[in-house]
Amino acid sequence: MQDILKLLADIVGPQFVSDSPEEKLIYAMDPGTMPPCEPDIVVMPGSTEEVQKIVQTANTHAVPVVPLGAGLVLSGLSRPLKGGIVLDMKRMNQILEINEISRYALVEAGTSQGMLQAYLQKHFPNLKHSAPDAPPAATVAGNVSIHGSGHLSHAGGFHSDMLNGLEVVLPTGELVRIGSCATSPYWFARAPLPDLSGLFLGWAGTTGVITKLAIKLYPSYPLNDVGVFVCEDASLMPDILYRITGAQMAEDVTAWMTPKPDWAASFLHCNVNYGARTPKELLWKRNLIRASVEKYINEKTGGFLPLPSMMKNRFLEVPARQLSLFADVRKGGGFEYVGAIMPVELFPQAYDLGLDVSDSVGVNYSMGCRIIGVNHCMMFFYAYAFNRADPRDVDRAQAALEKTNRQVVDMGGIPWKAEAPAQKEIIRKMDPNMFALMGRLRSTLDPNGIMNPGNWEEG
Ligand SMILES: Cc1cc2nc3c(=O)[nH]c(=O)nc-3n(C[C@H](O)[C@H](O)[C@H](O)COP(=O)(O)OP(=O)(O)OC[C@H]3O[C@@H](n4cnc5c(N)ncnc54)[C@H](O)[C@@H]3O)c2cc1C
């Protein structure tokens, strides 16, 4: 590895490569419950050419390479399970183009959500991108590559659906462009060419390194509001969500269930975020959203909460900071969640599962879901809090996550951004021919098996 260290220092400069124990410790873990795995070397490339040279070097010497954005995925996907090189993309953070008319942003892979959001607010206040509720340091590429979702997902689907094109360094070092950018100077769409972006989405960095990407932008409204619909019966939620999303007035529809404070425990809440250009349009949208669930208001089985402005402002925040506060529920603050992608009709079973797991394992929970598309599916999350300094508490959270993953798969859902053990649960249920095809594609792209090994593997 000392020889590799020297070769990498020649590529990026000695200040951007390290094998010091303290750096290796930091890159060995993420904020979730997965145990640490130390890299041998950490390197920070400054350009696509440098990424190519690093990957070529790793390929020649059959050393693992693990791409890393902000390392905030929580499920340990950017921990180097088999050692090798962690490729930290944060220096590659240029916003290369904003196309105002065709509404897209072209960015380098290390660009963070916060940087893009701030840049648009300053220079293009009429445009916004769909931001996840992750801390602002999370990268656009890391999030798109795992099929993330965010505050425009009701309108636009998964963040991978909002992708216009990719530039990728293949595991053998070649550079490839995918989407309209393969043929045109414009990064306007993935259609109409064969869509090869799927080779790099959902693979947890096992098929290549994204160096640039273009994502769709959307109109930014000067006026924004939120309504919180509540009911007490989980079996009503699929229809409530169906009606609210059917109105197609909202940008983001999210549900949340929490045992604290006590008054909130018996309610299921559904936040409906919407925006408008004028007060009249805002009122019109509010009325149509209300009309969509009038049946439940009339039957007195549900209704909108009157919101004090402090609470309303919190619900309008992007990203929603109150989510991260859950990490502080336990002394020593930590949390990890299973994000289960599943059909919306499974909401009641999904909710019961969370109650059952937290009760049987004895962990604090917070549950909720984000609607993807017009009720096309949901990301149902089960967040469990733990005290990082207490190994028994971490074990309990891990047991709750494992049990949830297993039962989600049995219910017909699919754990999202699944950690290596949960990937095996998914593979257990997966069409064997799909898994075999994944293996064939992977060995074609990555003949020496250097990209994030240990993920999407059997056994
Ligand atoms: C409080 C909180 C709230 C959250 N809310 C949301 C939410 O609302 N929506 C959501 O989608 N997520 C959410 N997350 C999860 C996660 O933080 C985000 O998905 C985040 O965007 C991941 O990006 P990252 O840069 O941290 O990726 P990383 O953790 O660095 O990487 C994720 C995966 O992508 C791969 N990868 C990273 N960069 C590249 C690259 N350039 N090329 C190839 N592969 C790459 C890595 O190898 C890894 O497998 C939340 C997390 C927290 C802590």
Side-chain angles (χ1 to χ4, degrees), residues 67 69-73 77 132-134 139 143 145-146 148-149 210 337 370 416:
L72 284 166
V73 75
L77 294 178
D133 288 318
T139 61
N143 185 263
S145 78
I146 56 168
S149 56
I210 299 169
Y337 63 97
R370 168 164 271 136
W416 159 65

Side-chain angles (χ1 to χ4, degrees), residues 369-426:
C369 80
R370 168 164 271 136
I371 295 298
I372 313 292
V374 192
N375 232 32
H376 293 123
C377 64
M378 62 181 174
M379 190 280 286
F380 195 104
F381 68 84
Y382 303 86
Y384 302 116
F386 55 89
N387 175 357
R388 245 169 232 302
D390 179 351
R392 281 165 312 162
D393 213 24
V394 177
D395 283 352
R396 264 198 297 275
Q398 234 165 32
L401 292 162
E402 267 173 45
K403 194 169 174 184
T404 308
N405 276 322
R406 205 168 37 250
Q407 296 200 14
V408 157
V409 173
D410 288 341
M411 197 191 289
I414 305 173
W416 159 65
K417 65 181 178 63
E419 55 271 53
Q423 291 165 13
K424 295 189 189 355
E425 284 295 333
I426 299 172

Side-chain angles (χ1 to χ4, degrees), residues 190-245:
R190 275 139 63 192
L193 303 175
D195 187 3
L196 300 186
S197 63
L199 290 172
F200 307 98
L201 304 173
W203 291 81
T206 60
T207 50
V209 183
I210 299 169
T211 44
K212 290 191 188 86
L213 71 165
I215 55 163
K216 294 186 199 315
L217 302 175
Y218 296 84
S220 172
Y221 294 117
L223 303 173
N224 292 283
D225 207 346
V226 59
V228 179
F229 191 78
V230 290
C231 75
E232 285 184 286
D233 182 353
S235 72
L236 303 180
M237 284 301 274
D239 187 56
I240 289 169
L241 293 165
Y242 175 78
R243 286 165 185 266
I244 289 173
T245 53

Side-chain angles (χ1 to χ4, degrees), residues 21 102 130 133 149 151 178 189 191 207 232 248 292 296 358 362 417 435 446 451 458:
S102 293
S130 180
D133 288 318
S149 56
H151 80 291
I178 287 164
T207 50
E232 285 184 286
Q248 286 193 272
S292 70
Y296 293 103
S358 67
K417 65 181 178 63
F435 188 59
D446 183 10
M451 292 303 305
E458 222 166 1

Side-chain angles (χ1 to χ4, degrees), residues 50-167:
E50 288 182 5
V51 174
Q52 283 184 274
K53 285 182 190 161
I54 294 166
V55 172
Q56 276 156 2
T57 305
N59 190 40
T60 306
H61 298 273
V63 176
V65 176
V66 178
L68 174 123
L72 284 166
V73 75
L74 297 177
S75 47
L77 294 178
S78 43
R79 289 169 312 144
L81 298 180
K82 304 204 170 159
I85 302 167
V86 166
L87 189 69
D88 182 339
M89 299 296 288
K90 279 187 213 70
R91 280 179 69 216
M92 293 177 60
N93 61 6
Q94 297 301 304
I95 296 170
L96 301 168
E97 184 193 347
I98 302 294
N99 186 318
E100 198 170 1
I101 297 294
S102 293
R103 291 200 180 102
Y104 67 77
L106 172 61
V107 300
E108 285 190 314
T111 304
S112 72
Q113 302 287 344
M115 280 174 176
L116 182 58
Q117 191 180 24
Y119 186 85
L120 290 172
Q121 277 166 1
K122 184 164 177 197
H123 300 287
F124 297 90
N126 53 337
L127 289 175
K128 62 184 174 187
H129 80 295
S130 180
D133 288 318
T139 61
V140 177
N143 185 263
V144 166
S145 78
I146 56 168
H147 295 296
S149 56
H151 80 291
L152 298 178
S153 282
H154 169 39
F158 290 107
H159 289 159
S160 45
D161 295 326
M162 302 177 194
L163 176 71
N164 279 3
L166 288 174
E167 179 189 85

